[in-house]
Amino acid sequence: MIVEIGHFALILALVVAIVQAALPLAGAARGNVAWMEVGRSTALAQFLLMAIAMAALMHAYVTSDFTVVNVIENSHTDKPLLYKITGVWGNHEGSMLLWVFILSLCGAAVALFSNNLPPALRARVLAVQGMIGTGFLLFILLTSNPFLRELPPPLNGRGLNPVLQDPGLAFHPPFLYLGYVGFSVSFCFAVAALIEGRVDSAWARWVRPWTLASWCALTIGIAMGSWWAYYTLGWGGWWFWDPVENASFLPWLVGTALIHSAIVVEKRDTLKSWTVLLAIITFSLSLVGTFLVRSGVLTSVHAFAVDPARGSFILLLLLVAIGGSLALYAVRAPALKGGGLFAPVSREGALVLNNLLLSTGAATVFLGTLYPLFLDAVGGPKLSVGPPFYNKTFVPLMVPVLVAVAAGPLLAWKRGDLLGALQRLWAAFAAAVVVVLGALYVTSGGPVLAVLGLGLAAWTFVGVLAEWTERLKLFRIPARDSWRRARNLPRSAHGMTLAHLGLAISVAGIAASAFEVEHIDIVAPGGDLPLAGYTLHLDKVEKLQGANYVADDATITVKRGDAVIAVVHPQRRFFPLQQQTTSETAIRTNFLADLYIALGEPDQAGGWTIRAYWKPLVPWIWIGAVFMAFGGVVSLSDRRWRVGVASRLRAPAAQAAAGD
């Protein structure tokens, strides 16, 4: 009965979404306030219905209801409770339900926190949100229904993919979808603005918090996915330029550009048309990622390989959403004329440079991801685009971005002094030189590009701190006065500093990955494996029985000289139900470097393959990502986002009208 309630809630949600898409839009066109207000009530109703559907499917998983086909294919009675819950979105149908649930959550958030929006703009935003919901609810009900029954039910299910049975997967997809789908709000604001034909600084201020919140969630989601791949797959890598990884990275890149572009619209009333286009492209890339993962055109550990009919339906949705919004942009964008003029060397100019480089980088990744698929579709030769392509094309584009991150905020609006800004970055230049020389000495002239990458990270980190201390006049005025300036500084400024510091930290971790040491060998129990000054002693390998797997558990003592540093336990897990083996790596970290150990296959003589790596600074990759996301959260807490822009703008007009 609960399953039927969930299914019926989905159908009702579709009906509500259709009403939400039509009535508020008509009300805004006719000036009918009652019709416009329907958008808020339908958005809240749709969220409630989607919550019921989500809860119904989760109940079916938790109770192992094997009358539901989706539960049969992705769960098992012996599976731990956590993985029963994560199994809800560890498959195509459930993940799409989560996708639309988060879409309805975004619509409800707009309805609840939009009291300061002009009623017509709010109605149009919610109507566009309803159109997106209509399309994806139709997709679920017609091609991907998670509530289909199978009678009589089997005794047990087939279980979740063992690779996905990991605690990190409990949170990675929800955060990723919060980012993916959250950008729909910026998209809806862009389309609504095009319909109205008006974009101003108030519009930019309304868009920025929604974009920033989505960007924070996507940052955490990508970082979680990278960390999961690092410690779960046993390959020793954290990023593989996999097409599905690229699918999440693309909206992140363009979303970053959108955040910075919206600043220019808000501060200088220019770059309006470009900012609207970025909002459209950001969500469009999220939709492209949805197509890549679910169309069956990719074979990836991350992808849901489904039948092409579903891919065709999503492709049709893409054509309608992306094609329709771009067509509207082509018609209405010429009317969005920018106001403020600025010199090339200025804060605006630095932000434009940031936008151009990030957009070009996104285009490079997009080309590398889709070109092999396009070539295969037209009958061309099989082609693989891997790290060498991205290292030679994408990485050089990011170098001037990092240079500008330090120098740009020191430039004045409208017209800046580049020489003066560079002079204030003497400490950053000195830090970069010291780091480069120190790295060359320690690594005996190691990979030059990696050393320069460390120097660039030092330049960015110290440069960002220099800009922050400049704001506070640190060391130039009494500490009490600097503290007062810090308290009065907008939180968005502190958030920007934290996010840019996080970027520098991640870049340092990425650059240092070139210095890792790897040793792979077959070791018998009682044998040793040397690695970067450490000795890994294999004590024993024994069988362990897990909840739904059997593990080969190795006991390895890590020594440095005669001192025991740690005892670690890498595993190979065999899942009988799926007849699949996974790796459970052992990672010992001091946050300056990781000892990464994976247990491989045994040989006939009783030895075991051990893959061991020493990875300097690799934890900084994820520490930096946390800093970036936290910086975004600090910016979101800025009081300006909680004060009604529209009410402040309307107040003078109302007073003037009263005076007349």
Side-chain angles (χ1 to χ4, degrees):
M1 182 66 179
I2 293 178
V3 172
E4 279 67 35
I5 291 174
H7 191 184
F8 188 59
L10 264 186
I11 297 171
L12 283 180
L14 173 61
V15 175
V16 170
I18 293 171
V19 175
Q20 180 182 334
L23 208 56
L25 199 61
R30 297 186 177 188
N32 189 317
V33 177
W35 285 13
M36 287 190 280
E37 285 301 309
V38 169
R40 304 181 80 170
S41 56
T42 50
L44 294 172
Q46 187 183 162
F47 169 67
L48 177 62
L49 291 167
M50 289 306 305
I52 292 172
M54 197 74 194
L57 185 60
M58 192 168 292
H59 178 270
Y61 269 84
V62 171
T63 60
S64 296
D65 184 354
F66 294 121
T67 65
V68 180
V69 174
N70 191 260
V71 179
I72 295 171
E73 293 178 347
N74 300 284
S75 191
H76 193 275
T77 51
D78 294 336
K79 195 165 65 172
L81 177 61
L82 174 64
Y83 303 136
K84 288 183 178 180
I85 295 173
T86 60
V88 172
W89 50 76
N91 60 88
H92 169 75
E93 292 82 2
S95 68
M96 285 308 306
L97 187 66
L98 176 66
W99 204 100
V100 181
F101 169 72
I102 293 176
L103 181 69
S104 69
L105 173 64
C106 293
V110 173
L112 288 173
F113 302 111
S114 60
N115 291 330
N116 298 313
L117 283 176
L121 178 63
R122 179 176 60 231
R124 290 186 172 106
V125 169
L126 291 173
V128 177
Q129 196 85 3
M131 293 176 192
I132 300 170
T134 299
F136 279 93
L137 282 166
L138 278 171
F139 172 72
I140 291 176
L141 288 169
L142 296 179
T143 71
S144 307
N145 189 348
F147 296 110
L148 294 177
R149 293 280 199 178
E150 180 172 313
L151 296 173
L155 294 177
N156 223 319
R158 302 188 184 111
L160 181 66
N161 184 344
V163 174
L164 304 181
Q165 294 187 34
D166 183 88
L169 266 293
F171 304 102
H172 164 62
F175 272 100
L176 206 61
Y177 288 4
L178 278 169
Y180 268 161
V181 184
F183 283 126
S184 68
V185 178
S186 306
F187 174 86
C188 294
F189 268 96
V191 173
L194 289 173
I195 294 173
E196 287 193 353
R198 184 170 65 91
V199 174
D200 52 22
S201 59
W203 176 88
R205 186 166 296 191
W206 287 318
V207 167
R208 276 185 66 196
W210 298 105
T211 306
L212 193 56
S214 304
W215 181 87
C216 291
L218 188 57
T219 301
I220 292 296
I222 292 173
M224 282 183 169
S226 171
W227 170 242
W228 167 77
Y230 174 68
Y231 75 81
T232 297
L233 301 182
W235 299 342
W238 47 270
W239 189 262
F240 305 97
W241 292 107
D242 180 283
V244 179
E245 290 175 332
N246 294 349
S248 63
F249 191 42
L250 285 167
W252 186 89
L253 285 171
V254 184
T256 305
L258 172 60
I259 292 170
H260 291 84
S261 181
I263 296 173
V264 181
V265 178
E266 179 187 345
K267 299 288 187 182
R268 299 286 299 138
D269 196 35
T270 190
L271 297 186
K272 297 177 182 179
S273 177
W274 172 249
T275 304
V276 169
L277 180 61
L278 284 178
I280 292 172
I281 292 176
T282 302
F283 183 60
S284 297
L285 289 172
S286 296
L287 293 177
V288 169
T290 301
F291 168 74
L292 289 176
V293 175
R294 290 168 176 80
S295 62
V297 301
L298 292 179
T299 301
S300 166
V301 69
H302 311 81
F304 298 106
V306 298
D307 64 85
R310 292 172 173 174
S312 300
F313 197 114
I314 295 181
L315 187 59
L316 178 62
L317 288 179
L318 259 66
L319 291 174
V320 173
I322 300 175
S325 58
L326 290 178
L328 181 63
Y329 175 82
V331 172
R332 306 301 294 269
L336 303 177
K337 299 186 182 296
L341 299 176
F342 56 89
V345 178
S346 61
R347 181 82 65 87
E348 298 97 323
L351 291 170
V352 168
L353 177 65
N354 159 289
N355 270 229
L356 291 175
L357 291 170
L358 287 173
S359 300
T360 305
T364 300
V365 176
F366 186 81
L367 177 64
T369 303
L370 292 189
Y371 180 68
L373 301 178
F374 172 78
L375 203 61
D376 184 54
V378 298
K382 296 288 184 181
L383 183 67
S384 176
V385 176
F389 168 80
Y390 298 104
N391 292 341
K392 292 178 181 179
T393 56
F394 177 80
V395 173
L397 288 169
M398 295 301 105
V399 172
V401 170
L402 293 170
V403 173
V405 164
L410 290 171
L411 296 173
W413 292 102
K414 196 172 182 180
R415 182 179 297 276
D417 179 8
L418 181 59
L419 181 60
L422 293 176
Q423 287 174 341
R424 284 179 284 175
L425 290 171
W426 64 267
F429 179 76
V433 171
V434 169
V435 168
V436 168
L437 293 178
L440 285 172
Y441 175 76
V442 171
T443 62
S444 301
V448 175
L449 291 179
V451 170
L452 293 177
L454 289 175
L456 189 59
W459 157 272
T460 306
F461 189 90
V462 178
V464 170
L465 285 180
E467 189 272 338
W468 184 71
T469 56
E470 183 84 11
R471 284 174 178 263
L472 304 186
K473 295 186 177 181
L474 209 58
F475 310 121
R476 290 188 292 160
I477 61 176
R480 182 184 306 171
D481 294 337
S482 291
W483 172 248
R484 183 165 54 249
R485 289 178 69 89
R487 291 180 59 186
N488 293 331
L489 198 65
R491 291 183 187 175
S492 59
H494 292 301
M496 178 194 73
T497 299
L498 286 170
H500 289 170
L501 288 176
L503 176 63
I505 293 170
S506 290
V507 168
I510 292 168
S513 62
F515 305 117
E516 74 174 35
V517 179
E518 173 186 353
H519 195 170
I520 302 175
D521 205 349
I522 297 176
V523 182
D528 294 335
L529 183 70
L531 178 73
Y534 295 92
T535 300
L536 311 181
H537 181 78
L538 179 60
D539 298 324
K540 60 182 178 179
V541 179
E542 57 185 351
K543 292 285 186 183
L544 291 181
Q545 180 64 54
N548 59 340
Y549 61 86
V550 179
D552 293 314
D553 181 84
T555 301
I556 297 177
T557 302
V558 181
K559 297 181 179 180
R560 190 165 196 134
D562 294 329
V564 175
I565 304 299
V567 177
V568 297
H569 294 271
Q571 293 182 350
R572 289 180 76 249
R573 294 181 176 179
F574 177 71
F575 292 79
L577 182 63
Q578 293 87 3
Q579 293 292 299
Q580 189 172 339
T581 301
T582 64
S583 177
E584 190 75 10
T585 57
I587 300 174
R588 170 77 178 183
T589 185
N590 59 7
F591 298 106
L592 293 176
D594 279 1
L595 275 175
Y596 181 103
I597 306 168
L599 183 66
E601 297 180 354
D603 68 358
Q604 296 180 350
W608 291 83
T609 301
I610 295 179
R611 298 190 302 278
Y613 305 84
W614 178 72
K615 296 176 170 291
L617 300 190
V618 71
W620 290 20
I621 296 171
W622 301 290
I623 292 172
V626 171
F627 264 80
M628 284 189 275
F630 182 64
V633 172
V634 171
S635 293
L636 279 172
S637 69
D638 195 311
R639 181 176 176 271
R640 291 180 302 164
W641 308 135
R642 303 193 301 271
V643 174
V645 177
S647 61
R648 293 203 307 272
L649 293 177
R650 285 196 297 266
Q655 292 170 4
D660 292 341

